[in-house]
């Protein structure tokens, strides 16, 4: 069974914490160390960002990390090479998160095959049109038992959400707002109502909430209304500042306790 499905099938009442970092930042060779450190420190699954020159959905923190990674020389092929080198040590699910252009350049089938060969269980492609997912990407991903995770926002209609739920597997990524990535001090009542609305739909797939989680209040709101939380910008900032995954995690856990 795919590692993502296994993780969620066995979670019971556990609330998950997933972290995102950009491959190739802070250094070109840091992928293995960051992943294995996060695994050792109890992170449930990891999103590995594929750097891209025009990351439209990302805020300045992740844009800056992507720019640095590209300057460092990171490529899609190098990501797979580095992931393959630690494949036998990684027990938690890895998900690649990247925009469609680099994946199309690499080739859809080649990308899915390389994911399997390097221990990747799924992919998030924010700018992948759903029709293209259904007709082009999903048949290939299914062939390789790779989960393509789709995003929903507060503006996504109930009908669309149910359609996504019916045609995807793994989990649904609930974007907390329609804005770009970045930290927030709290989720306002409008966002809380969005969380409650989706919860009341009783979807087949579990949900993870991301965008804006950086402290105890936002973490609790996410974990109270979904299977767990995804943190990106906050961890990327701390990792870039410390250049050390253990220290960045120490500082993140301190922030999440406040």
């Amino acid at each position: 069974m795919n590692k993502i499905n296994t993780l969620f099938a066995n979670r019971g009442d556990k609330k998950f914490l997933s972290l995102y970092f950009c491959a190739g930042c802070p250094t070109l060779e840091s992928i293995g160390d960051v992943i294995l450190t996060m695994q050792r420190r109890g992170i449930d699954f990891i999103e590995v960002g594929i750097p891209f020159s025009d990351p439209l959905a990302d805020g300045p923190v992740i844009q800056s990390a992507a720019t640095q990674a590209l300057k460092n020389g990171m490529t899609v092929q190098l990501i797979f090479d580095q992931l393959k080198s630690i494949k036998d040590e990684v027990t938690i699910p890895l998900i690649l998160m990247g925009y469609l252009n680099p994946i199309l350049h690499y080739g859809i089938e080649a990308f899915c095959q390389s994911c399997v060969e390097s221990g990747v269980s799924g992919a998030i492609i924010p700018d992948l049109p759903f029709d293209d997912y259904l007709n082009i990407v999903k048949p290939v991903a299914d062939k390789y038992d790779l989960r393509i995770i789709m995003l929903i926002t507060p503006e996504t209609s109930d009908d669309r959400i149910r359609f996504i739920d019916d045609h995807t597997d793994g989990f649904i990524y609930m974007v907390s707002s329609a804005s770009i990535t970045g930290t927030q001090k709290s989720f306002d009542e409008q966002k809380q109502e969005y969380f409650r609305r989706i919860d009341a739909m009783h979807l087949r797939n579990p949900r993870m909430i991301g965008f804006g989680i950086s402290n105890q209040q936002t973490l609790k709101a996410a974990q109270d209304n979904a299977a767990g939380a995804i943190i990106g910008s906050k961890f990327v900032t701390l990792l870039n500042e410390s250049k050390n995954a253990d220290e960045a995690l120490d500082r993140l856990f301190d922030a999440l306790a406040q």
Side-chain angles (χ1 to χ4, degrees):
M1 183 185 290
N2 183 284
K3 283 185 180 179
I4 298 171
N5 297 89
T6 300
L7 181 74
F8 283 95
N10 296 330
R11 75 182 179 97
D13 295 328
K14 178 178 172 60
K15 295 296 184 178
F16 292 136
L17 178 60
S18 173
L19 298 185
Y20 165 98
F21 77 101
C22 183
C25 185
T27 67
L28 183 63
E29 302 294 338
S30 59
I31 288 179
D33 177 68
V34 174
I35 289 174
L36 294 176
T37 301
M38 283 200 266
Q39 176 175 275
R40 174 171 51 80
R41 297 293 297 273
I43 301 305
D44 296 294
F45 64 93
I46 299 168
E47 293 179 16
V48 181
I50 302 172
F52 182 50
S53 57
D54 192 22
L56 296 177
D58 293 311
V61 169
I62 294 178
Q63 285 187 20
S64 177
T67 299
Q68 184 60 54
L70 292 172
K71 287 181 179 178
N72 288 344
M74 183 51 71
T75 65
V76 176
Q77 184 60 62
L78 189 53
I79 291 172
F80 284 128
D81 291 344
Q82 291 188 21
L83 290 176
K84 192 178 296 185
S85 72
I86 60 168
K87 177 181 178 181
D88 293 341
E89 300 174 74
V90 178
T91 58
I92 62 177
L94 300 180
I95 298 171
L96 285 181
M97 185 168 188
Y99 291 86
L100 186 57
N101 185 284
I103 296 171
L104 286 177
H105 184 74
Y106 193 85
I108 297 295
E109 178 131 11
F111 179 82
C112 293
Q113 183 174 353
S114 292
C115 282
V116 172
E117 292 172 350
S118 57
V120 172
S121 299
I124 300 170
I125 310 171
D127 59 341
L128 173 64
F130 200 77
D131 287 346
D132 288 346
Y133 158 72
L134 282 178
N135 298 318
I136 300 171
V137 177
K138 186 177 187 298
V140 181
D142 287 350
K143 173 182 173 182
Y144 290 96
D145 196 31
L146 188 73
R147 302 293 175 261
I148 305 298
I149 308 303
M150 303 302 291
L151 287 75
I152 64 172
T153 76
E155 282 69 40
T156 309
S157 70
D158 287 4
D159 286 345
R160 186 68 167 181
I161 291 170
R162 292 200 182 280
F163 189 75
I164 290 171
D165 189 45
D166 288 341
H167 293 87
T168 60
D169 192 16
F171 68 93
I172 290 175
Y173 191 135
M174 282 181 64
V175 177
S176 67
S177 70
S179 63
I180 57 175
T181 58
T183 62
Q184 299 177 43
K185 292 184 179 179
S186 64
F187 291 135
D188 59 25
E189 178 56 32
Q190 186 176 14
K191 292 185 179 67
Q192 298 275 0
E193 175 54 34
Y194 159 58
F195 297 160
R196 291 191 290 268
R197 173 172 69 89
I198 303 305
D199 190 49
M201 294 179 70
H202 301 293
L203 300 176
R204 177 179 60 86
N205 280 296
R207 309 172 315 280
M208 294 288 292
I209 295 176
F211 284 45
I213 298 166
S214 62
N215 57 20
Q216 186 181 59
Q217 185 173 354
T218 49
L219 176 66
K220 185 176 187 304
Q223 292 184 331
D224 284 349
N225 290 280
I230 298 169
I231 298 177
S233 295
K234 182 68 174 181
F235 180 70
V236 170
T237 297
L238 296 173
L239 184 60
N240 287 344
E241 289 174 353
S242 67
K243 306 293 191 294
N244 179 280
D246 260 317
E247 183 180 332
L249 286 167
D250 286 341
R251 294 175 62 190
L252 177 66
F253 294 149
D254 285 345
L256 296 178
Q258 299 175 15

